[in-house]
Amino acid sequence: QVQLVESGGGLVQPGGSLRLSCAVSARISSMHGMGWYRQAPGKQRELVATVTSGGSAYYVDSVKGRFTISRDNAKNTAYLQMNSLSPEDTAVYYCNAKFTLSSGPTINSWGQGTQVTVSS
């Protein structure tokens, strides 16, 4: 069974920090790209950041300099360190991962989402 298990969301004051984690639970032969997306109420889901298997990162302009995406390939886990959070960052954050199973298929999978609320 393939699962992406997210953790680390919560309520934080403006200017605060949170660290999200996304662990892929599956029998994997190779991990490919991983990323974080978010969806605020009444808005479409948007890309936040991605990281390749080699560690190259991409960020949407609104989070550059504040968020850092990283991954631990040995643990099949991606992280999103979020600093200097503002109310505009409030959203449900979703992890996305592409990987090849030991049984052969390549899968693009989503986590269940974790709520991040920035409010005083």
Side-chain angles (χ1 to χ4, degrees):
Q1 184 178 0
V2 175
Q3 278 189 309
L4 269 62
V5 181
E6 300 172 8
S7 60
L11 173 64
V12 64
Q13 292 187 341
S17 298
L18 284 174
R19 188 192 194 208
L20 306 182
S21 298
C22 171
V24 179
S25 175
R27 298 177 66 86
I28 297 170
S29 64
S30 61
M31 289 291 300
H32 308 300
M34 302 183 78
W36 290 93
Y37 293 70
R38 66 186 179 186
Q39 187 167 17
K43 295 186 177 181
Q44 291 188 331
R45 188 175 298 189
E46 65 169 352
L47 172 66
V48 176
T50 62
V51 61
T52 68
S53 57
S56 296
Y58 165 85
Y59 301 94
V60 68
D61 285 346
S62 60
V63 308
K64 283 181 181 177
R66 301 188 299 122
F67 290 11
T68 302
I69 189 171
S70 61
R71 60 190 288 168
D72 183 336
N73 289 330
K75 296 182 179 180
N76 295 331
T77 299
Y79 306 95
L80 186 67
Q81 177 66 44
M82 304 184 293
N83 300 328
S84 301
L85 285 161
S86 72
E88 289 69 34
D89 297 312
T90 295
V92 178
Y93 284 69
Y94 296 91
C95 175
N96 175 264
K98 185 176 181 179
F99 47 90
T100 300
L101 296 174
S102 299
S103 58
T106 295
I107 292 177
N108 186 43
S109 187
W110 292 87
Q112 79 283 2
T114 185
Q115 177 69 46
V116 172
T117 302
V118 185
S119 175
S120 55

